[in-house]
Amino acid sequence: MRRKGVLYDAGRVLWVNWRPVFDPAVVRRELRIIRDDLHCTAVKICGRDLDRLTFAAEEALALGLEVWFSPELWDRGPAATLSHIAAAAEVAERLRRGRPEQVVFSVATEATLFMRGIIPGRTFQRRLANLRPELRAGRHVAPLREFLAHAARDARRVFGGPITYAALPFEPVDWDLFDIVGVDHYREARNEAGYVDRLRPLLARGKPVVVTEFGMRTYEGADRDGNLGTGITDPATSLLHLVPLVGRLVRPRIKGRHVRDEALQARRIVEDLTILDAAGVDGAFVCTFVEPLSTHDPDPRYDLDMGALSLVKTYARGHGTTYPDLPWEPKQAFHAVAGCYGRTPPGREGHCAV
């Protein structure tokens, strides 16, 4: 794989900001670790706020990383989303002019679910509940294609570099609109047998194919219980925790009983990298580097990091030992990815073992 990447969340927003504190010094430090210790060559910077995206992108570009500039205005309609894309494309073009070969612009992520107006439902949960009947009826096809045609057109008006879209595997995207085929492709028990088969039609198009998200959560059975997409954090306790005054009495917790399993996460990500490299993809982005809200706790009831896709575990208080200036510690998956990206012979990235 040419693009050895990780997703970096600068502040995705769905219900709440997934990165409530954006500390420039921490962002600068984490991006350097992504280059030097995780051995990435590319970083997909996601989030809503364009100032945050710009700062993180500038820092990553200065480090020599390829930047996938990925604005995400989730839970809004097509008009607002297209306006956001156009504004972001102007920012990305300014960045690209300084580093012509280092910037890719991603117009959106999984619009069928994260944008209003394709699947009925004002909230993500309602759209998710309506997904299967809408897919069977095919009613999502026309609005998705109309949106992506407008998004690609608006981006190209101002951005002179390659553009892409982070698609769900079932979305009927017209890839003639884009320079790079991008798909969020997670492997679990339900799709394991046909995981590579879904990539073959995309690879046959003759354009670079990049898996824009893949990964695994950090508990026993995460690869087979059907919760890989939505996780195991209890949303009710998480939302109540954010309510003033009441929130002090409610502690976010996970649903059910689970056993922490960092080895599973590490092993599955390495397997994914090996499979994707053998399939011939141009690159892949592990999801995700850090999830600040998914804090680790010794008590499994409150160990939100078990439900996290992140390569590092965040502490609610204190700092790690590997990087004493940062509030997190690398998980086994961090070291496994670093081994895949940094120690394998040229041309054999992904062929590695934990």
Side-chain angles (χ1 to χ4, degrees), residues 93-163:
E93 174 60 13
R94 290 197 294 271
L95 295 169
R96 189 195 68 84
R97 287 175 184 168
R99 308 271 181 168
E101 305 300 321
Q102 285 180 242
V103 182
V104 175
F105 185 72
S106 177
V107 300
T109 298
E110 301 181 12
T112 296
L113 280 176
F114 284 113
M115 188 179 76
R116 295 175 185 169
I118 297 175
I119 298 291
R122 286 189 59 79
T123 66
F124 175 83
Q125 296 103 315
R126 291 306 309 157
R127 294 191 292 274
L128 191 61
N130 292 331
L131 182 62
R132 286 190 179 181
E134 291 294 314
L135 291 183
R136 283 196 296 268
R139 287 187 288 264
H140 66 299
V141 175
L144 174 67
R145 289 192 168 176
E146 181 182 4
F147 165 72
L148 290 177
H150 283 293
R153 178 201 64 198
D154 292 351
R156 289 201 190 278
R157 280 177 177 166
V158 293
F159 183 72
I163 67 169

Side-chain angles (χ1 to χ4, degrees), residues 269-312:
I269 290 175
V270 165
E271 289 173 2
D272 290 347
L273 283 169
T274 302
I275 290 168
L276 293 172
D277 184 54
V281 302
D282 192 64
F285 291 91
V286 183
C287 184
T288 181
F289 185 73
V290 62
E291 293 186 37
L293 294 181
S294 297
T295 51
H296 170 62
D297 193 281
D299 187 333
R301 295 174 299 172
Y302 305 108
D303 186 7
L304 305 183
D305 180 70
M306 277 202 290
L309 293 158
S310 57
L311 298 179
V312 305

